[in-house]
Amino acid sequence: MNDPQYEKATRYFNWLYRHRWKIHILSIIAFVTGIFLASKLQLKPSFSALLPQNLESVQQANLVAERFGGTGLLLIGIESPNFKANKKFADALAEKLSALEGTKIKSFEYKFSKIARFFENYGLHYLSTSDLFKLKNNLTNTIQENKDSAFGGFLGFDDLLGDDNEKDKKEAKDSISKDELLGEVDPRIQRFLSYPDNYLASDDGKLVAIGVQAANSSLSLNEAQDLVQSIDKMVLELNPKSFNEEMTVNYAGNVKRAIEEVDTIKKDILNTALLLVTLILVVLFLFLWSPRWVFLVLGNLIFAVVCTFGFTQIAVGYLNTMTAFLSSLVAGTGINYGIILISRYLEERKLGVEYREALIKSLSSTSLATLLASGTTAASFISLLVANNKGFSQFGIIGGVGVILCWTSCFTLLPLWIDAIERRFPKPVKPHPLGQIFYQFGMKTGHFIIRKAPLMASVLLVLTALGATGFKTLWENPLEYDFSKLQNKTTKGSGASALHWRIQEDVYKSSLVPAVILLENESQAKELCPTVRNLVSKIDESDKVFEACLSLYELLPPQAVSEEENKLRRSLRADILKLMGDRWLKFSDSELAGLLKRIHRNASEKTPTLKDIPEQLKRRFVEKSGDLGLVGFIYPDNSKPLENGRNLLNYTRSFRKIWLPETETIVSAAGEHFILADLLRGISIDGPRASLAAFLCVLALAFILTGSIKSGLLMATCMLFGTWWLLCMQGMIELKYNFLNFIALPLTFGIGIDYPINAFVRFRELNYQEFGKVLTTTGTAVILCALTTIIGYSTLLGASNQALVSFAKLALLGELASITSAMILLPVLIRLVYARKRYKYG
């Protein structure tokens, strides 16, 4: 045989056979090392793991952790219908938690008696002059109304006044609210006076919360689990059911959420891996109809996947939300090369060719096609390295290396395994029981596609044109702004996420994750919140996502502008305290009446200073170094949830950089919302850049590796049509891009060349004749390759992470578009353009 490719394959196999023992020893070492390294991989589910460390939002978040220590929040939710039992249990648990302060936890809060007492003592100092006048008038009017009511009742006027008098009495008694007692105090501070019995509880007392701040600046998974287990042990020792039979104690906050995320991802990985292996085993057996070939393909694949994740430990050191599921993707794609090699080998064996000769022939005819296919697929992965998003770039390098290792293993180990098993355990290749049916179906289908090529081309063009409406929909609104669609569905309606939102809405009634502003000196700290409020006043109402700004100096009362005003305010406070002691001051709201009595009894004439502010209020402003007050917090508006990406962008855009005019400095905000906003913004930059890089790389390889402009244009046309169909289908089902699923587009470029090129090379072997034979041999193998990859993606549809599910959906559409391009569009193009005059139907 004078085929140069065959001669190269012969020399290559002989070289493999001569060095088979060395190759196997090295592969065993690589496999064992891979298992060892892969077992050490850690999972980092946080958003910051997806962004480069030199990004400002990440640097600011790291600086906050460095200066203020623990950023991990663990929320303990105590629930029962009995508020008294909830309080009693919270007190008992707090006593135990105090033993962990300084070691595992930085601080915890659940009761605000000292804060309430502070504002009872100094609350009147927080009112402006106008607020003091207003309060004095309201108290005077209330007293007068109560006197008039009592006098009218004594003279019998009530019967004459009737219902109108009752209405007036009620309005007079309800004319003062708690908010008026602290008119200019930040809403975040006012709420301390509204908690039932000063406990961090819902209004009905059925839910009492304890907020625990972790001690370490960044909690590892093991430390987070240890903290939760330590507290859970305390809870079990107290036995919640002994306080109330219906009492439950659960956990929320970012500490618990991180644990649940990792547990869910691990569970998803295990479930998808088991499902993937099971389905692939079934499909391979149905196709190959022999256990020996099934296990050879799987053994080769397992070796490559293990080595891939061993490499991941060396190159990256951890897995993130994107790369955690790469095993399914690498397996679904990497198995293709083994399937094509073995199916080609069995094709020769069924023709009666001796096993060694059949093996060399299969190497000769598949090595180039699969090398081209793996090269384009690897290029589509590696092109993701141009992205700043570490999730994209890590996904790219791991996936690219994985594909290369799968191909290398397939054409290094698999030929030796085939030779060894056929030499030692010779066994005739039995025909598939349905082989004749598949053969006849394939031949007729191929014959039909070729004979009806003009009709098929017309149908494809019409469908391509009709798909433009879907593309238009996607083009007009490509990004997913509703983050609720990307959450973990396991914990969204229950678990840590659900409890977190209930505590935030029903207990704190404010965001638990404010933006953090790091400051350099006292002047900046005093200037921050007035500047922020001035900034907010200029923002359009529709774009405003702001509730409050809080700094240490916001905890102090407003200063009078002159000594005369000071005297006036002292006089007004004295008058108010006198009125509060009047026996005619009565209110229908007993809680308000009790608060006024306590203020009257405990009010201090002394203006509070920083030393007087309770430690429970000040400690959130204390740095690890002991410095006090060099931080501010900006709280987003709870009525505009940041799960809406547009609200998130408005919020972060408003406060990312704040110019302080008096000190002439710019301060930066930090927090997980700013990291998430950078991820969202990065899609619009990294997505197109990575997609363009993948497109150009794959296109260049198609021209270089096929060896001619004509063939390259053919492959490029298949890829472009497949990509267009993907985009059209994506728009039709309104599947938008997010920070994870965008990578499916560059991958589609790779498989858009991968599948057509295998069929094309076989076409070329047959001198562009007999598409029926191509379809029943290599075409069937390519369809099986697509099916195993589809299985790999389909297993991800059951994952809890909905962003990952969206990636699986988009990748599945890409698979369907690419296999259609390879099995229908390619032969039509060859028939109409490449071999129009010399095609023989067969």
Side-chain angles (χ1 to χ4, degrees), residues 705-835:
L705 298 178
T706 53
S708 73
I709 295 177
K710 199 174 191 180
S711 301
L713 285 173
L714 191 66
M715 296 299 99
T717 302
C718 288
M719 179 186 69
L720 288 172
F721 269 85
T723 303
W724 173 260
W725 296 336
L726 163 65
L727 297 175
C728 293
M729 290 188 290
Q730 184 183 351
M732 287 176 183
I733 65 173
E734 296 185 357
L735 180 59
K736 302 174 185 177
Y737 292 111
N738 57 58
F739 62 86
L740 194 153
N741 68 6
F742 218 126
I743 53 182
L745 185 58
L747 297 184
T748 300
F749 297 150
I751 61 171
I753 296 289
D754 188 329
Y755 295 156
I757 208 164
N758 281 286
F760 171 75
V761 169
R762 192 64 196 277
F763 248 127
R764 192 164 58 185
E765 282 184 4
L766 298 173
N767 197 28
Y768 304 103
Q769 305 288 315
E770 305 178 63
F771 180 62
K773 186 174 181 181
V774 174
L775 189 60
T776 57
T777 54
T778 301
T780 305
V782 171
I783 292 172
L784 179 62
C785 291
L787 183 57
T788 56
T789 307
I790 286 171
I791 288 172
Y793 289 136
S794 298
T795 58
L796 300 178
L797 293 176
S800 296
N801 186 314
Q802 293 305 289
L804 185 66
V805 171
S806 71
F807 162 73
K809 290 178 180 178
L810 192 56
L812 282 170
L813 294 180
E815 284 289 323
L816 293 174
S818 297
I819 195 64
T820 302
S821 172
M823 294 295 103
I824 298 178
L825 178 62
L826 176 66
V828 168
L829 290 174
I830 289 178
R831 173 71 181 90
L832 295 177
V833 179
Y834 210 97

Side-chain angles (χ1 to χ4, degrees), residues 78 83-97 108 110-111 199-200 208-210 238 243 247:
I78 304 162
F83 182 35
K84 185 176 180 180
N86 293 341
K87 291 190 296 182
K88 188 175 180 182
F89 182 85
D91 289 334
L93 182 57
E95 187 176 346
K96 287 181 171 289
L97 287 175
F108 67 92
Y110 79 105
K111 193 174 182 180
Y199 281 80
L200 188 58
V208 172
I210 300 179
L238 290 172
F243 290 78
M247 183 176 289

Side-chain angles (χ1 to χ4, degrees), residues 268-269 271-274 276 280 301 305 309 323-334 788-789 791-796:
D268 283 344
I269 291 173
N271 290 341
T272 55
L274 290 174
L276 175 66
I280 285 181
L301 180 66
V305 171
F309 284 96
T323 56
F325 293 88
L326 260 173
S327 56
S328 295
L329 182 55
V330 171
T333 304
T788 56
T789 307
I791 288 172
Y793 289 136
S794 298
T795 58
L796 300 178

Side-chain angles (χ1 to χ4, degrees), residues 197-223:
D197 292 352
N198 299 320
Y199 281 80
L200 188 58
S202 58
D203 293 337
D204 58 11
K206 293 181 179 180
L207 172 60
V208 172
I210 300 179
V212 179
Q213 199 76 32
N216 293 337
S217 59
S218 58
L219 242 60
S220 66
L221 178 63
N222 290 336
E223 289 172 327

